[in-house]
């Protein structure tokens, strides 16, 4: 089974997939408390409220709704700060902020070299694996950006086993960049079928910042990004149709948005994320996946990567637990003891 993981930045599940909220009790409230350092401040006077769902009759995300039909959805509760950097670093590496040291979008002092991303974990599990990542946000894939979250693995890039693509067409902001990412990603997925792929879109987050989550523009951006998702799912679905390749399609977001726009703190609507899972392949395998996933309680962001690796059957190697792997220790510059037992 191959993996297509799609990252949609800043999508409120209650706007994109309101029906999901009634499908899992874990959506009701956060599963863990937050650090008071990242508590929400006062809302500005005159801030808008979210429109009633009854007023929004059209389905904003028909592809996500179709993926949920026959798939399943799990609540994911982000740990503040709910900025994109810490969110994606945690989601994509399976580590907490304290482990990867990504607290802001500047990534200053990050430890991502020690916290390999999900694609690298799959490569480590099997060095034959071919991996691919495409992103509108350079911090995820570009070594000259603030991250990157995805390891470069230059040797694998030379050998065509690992491909990284970043958007360059920002003539219409994230909207044009996302379209560029979609076109490239759909081609690679359809023709090359990498064993594991991550594709990221940013249009919704940009609309959230500019207009707020209560706006029509925010819903419209969700619809545009949903169409990108449809292209990617179509690309891998054709591979199942023609080549019998099975695919696990997963969709996740890093945070919601306030009605007036913005994120970063601990509001429930900002912390609430989701993991949408859909198996493309024989019906009995899809049933099995749904059964396995339905027993999963709500997730924290750092639990998404381990769950996906488990569903794929990718297992990492390990050291003797008594070996303090990675710890840096230096010898004291005290000169020899002259005990010949230590001299060679
Ligand atoms: Zn974000």
């Amino acid at each position: 089974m191959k993996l297509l993981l799609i990252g949609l930045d800043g999508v409120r599940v209650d706007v994109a997939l309101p029906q999901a909220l009634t499908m899992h009790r874990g959506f009701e409230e956060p599963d863990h408390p937050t650090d008071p350092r990242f508590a929400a401040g006062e809302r500005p006077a005159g801030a808008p409220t979210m429109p009633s769902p009854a007023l929004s009759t059209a389905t904003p995300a028909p592809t996500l709704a179709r993926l949920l039909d026959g798939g399943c959805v799990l609540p994911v509760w982000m740990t503040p700060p709910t900025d994109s950097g810490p969110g994606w670093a945690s989601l994509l590496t399976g580590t907490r902020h304290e482990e990867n040291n990504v607290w802001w979008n500047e990534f200053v002092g990050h430890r991502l070299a020690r916290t390999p991303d999900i694609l690298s974990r799959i490569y480590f599990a099997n060095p034959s694996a071919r991996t691919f990542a495409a992103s509108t946000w350079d911090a995820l894939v570009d070594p000259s950006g603030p991250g990157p979250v995805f390891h470069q693995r230059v040797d694998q890039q030379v050998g065509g086993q690992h491909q990284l693509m970043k958007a360059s067409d920002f003539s219409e902001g994230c909207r044009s960049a996302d379209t560029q990412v979609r076109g490239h990603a759909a081609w690679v997925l359809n023709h090359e079928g990498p064993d594991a792929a991550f594709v990221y879109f940013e249009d919704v987050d940009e609309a959230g910042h500019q207009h707020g989550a209560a706006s029509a523009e925010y819903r419209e951006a969700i619809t545009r990004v949903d169409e990108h998702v449809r292209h990617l799912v179509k690309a891998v679905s054709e591979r199942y149709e023609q080549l019998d390749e099975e695919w696990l399609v997963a969709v996740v977001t890093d945070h919601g948005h306030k009605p007036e726009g913005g994120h970063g703190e601990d509001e429930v609507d900002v912390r609430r994320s989701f993991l949408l899972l859909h198996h493309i392949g024989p019906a009995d395998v899809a049933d099995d996946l749904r059964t396995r996933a339905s027993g999963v309680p709500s997730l924290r962001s750092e639990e998404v990567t381990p769950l996906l690796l488990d569903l794929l059957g990718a297992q990492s190697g390990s050291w003797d637990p008594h070996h303090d792997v990675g710890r840096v220790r230096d010898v004291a510059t005290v000169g020899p003891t002259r005990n010949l037992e230590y001299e060679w």
Side-chain angles (χ1 to χ4, degrees):
M1 183 162 60
K2 300 190 174 198
L3 173 69
L4 169 58
L5 175 59
I6 302 172
L8 306 179
D9 203 296
V11 172
R12 279 180 68 131
V13 63
D14 61 323
V15 177
L17 268 180
Q19 64 271 44
L21 298 182
T22 60
M23 292 180 171
H24 197 299
R25 289 187 58 190
F27 278 114
E28 288 171 12
E29 56 184 28
D31 70 340
H32 63 291
T34 60
D35 187 319
R37 287 178 294 168
F38 308 112
E42 289 279 308
R43 294 198 65 206
T49 54
M50 293 301 289
S52 162
L55 297 176
S56 322
T57 49
T59 302
T63 307
L64 298 187
R66 187 173 166 194
L67 288 171
L68 180 54
D69 239 7
C72 65
V73 67
L74 296 170
V76 180
W77 288 99
M78 306 301 292
T79 303
T82 52
D83 285 316
S84 303
W88 289 113
S90 188
L91 288 165
L92 296 171
T93 67
T95 57
R96 294 175 290 112
H97 309 321
E98 289 82 358
E99 295 170 292
N100 56 49
N101 206 38
V102 178
W103 296 90
W104 311 110
N105 286 352
E106 291 83 358
F107 290 72
V108 171
H110 72 73
R111 296 197 178 102
L112 292 166
R114 287 167 166 243
T115 60
D117 59 274
I118 184 169
L119 301 184
S120 296
R121 299 269 293 273
I122 287 167
Y123 166 74
F124 297 151
N126 185 335
S128 299
R130 290 178 299 113
T131 52
F132 169 73
S135 175
T136 292
W137 192 24
D138 61 348
L140 301 185
V141 294
D142 184 357
S144 56
V149 172
F150 282 97
H151 285 192
Q152 299 300 289
R153 290 191 283 116
V154 174
D155 289 344
Q156 283 69 54
Q157 289 194 52
V158 170
Q161 259 183 272
H162 183 42
Q163 295 183 60
L164 295 168
M165 179 263 181
K166 63 165 180 156
S168 57
D169 178 9
F170 288 88
S171 57
E172 295 175 57
C174 292
R175 190 169 169 170
S176 52
D178 277 0
T179 303
Q180 186 187 23
V181 166
R182 175 189 82 184
H184 186 83
W187 196 96
V188 172
L189 288 167
N190 188 247
H191 291 287
E192 300 185 8
D195 298 294
F198 173 76
V199 186
Y200 166 97
F201 299 114
E202 197 177 341
D203 190 1
V204 177
D205 186 58
E206 186 174 70
H209 282 292
Q210 290 179 352
H211 305 284
S215 67
E217 289 88 345
Y218 183 74
R219 284 176 63 88
E220 288 161 10
I222 287 176
T223 301
R224 284 196 295 274
V225 165
D226 182 83
E227 177 67 359
H228 298 331
V229 173
R230 187 174 75 81
H231 282 232
L232 304 187
V233 175
K234 186 176 175 63
V236 300
S237 181
E238 278 187 11
R239 290 188 68 89
Y240 172 57
E241 183 181 24
Q242 297 188 28
L243 304 170
D244 276 339
E245 268 180 12
E246 293 181 38
W247 286 79
L248 173 61
V249 177
V251 183
V252 70
T253 190
D254 58 334
H255 52 74
H257 256 280
K258 293 187 273 191
E260 66 274 25
H263 53 86
E265 284 82 35
D266 69 353
E267 296 93 340
V268 165
D269 289 332
V270 167
R271 287 188 63 197
R272 186 168 51 209
S273 170
F274 64 94
L275 177 65
L276 178 57
L277 298 169
H278 187 104
H279 180 263
I280 292 182
D284 58 324
V285 183
D287 289 343
D288 180 53
L289 178 96
R290 251 196 324 274
T291 304
R292 288 171 69 190
S294 62
V296 175
S298 57
L299 300 165
R300 299 184 186 192
S301 50
E302 66 269 20
E303 294 171 330
V304 168
T305 279
L307 174 66
L308 293 173
L309 292 174
D310 183 47
L311 291 173
L312 291 170
Q315 296 175 351
S316 61
S318 67
W319 284 70
D320 177 338
H322 300 297
H323 183 111
D324 48 1
V325 180
R327 184 173 157 199
V328 177
R329 288 186 297 175
D330 199 357
V331 294
T333 51
V334 294
T337 61
R338 302 314 305 270
N339 181 338
L340 295 181
E341 191 180 334
Y342 299 105
E343 294 195 12
W344 292 79

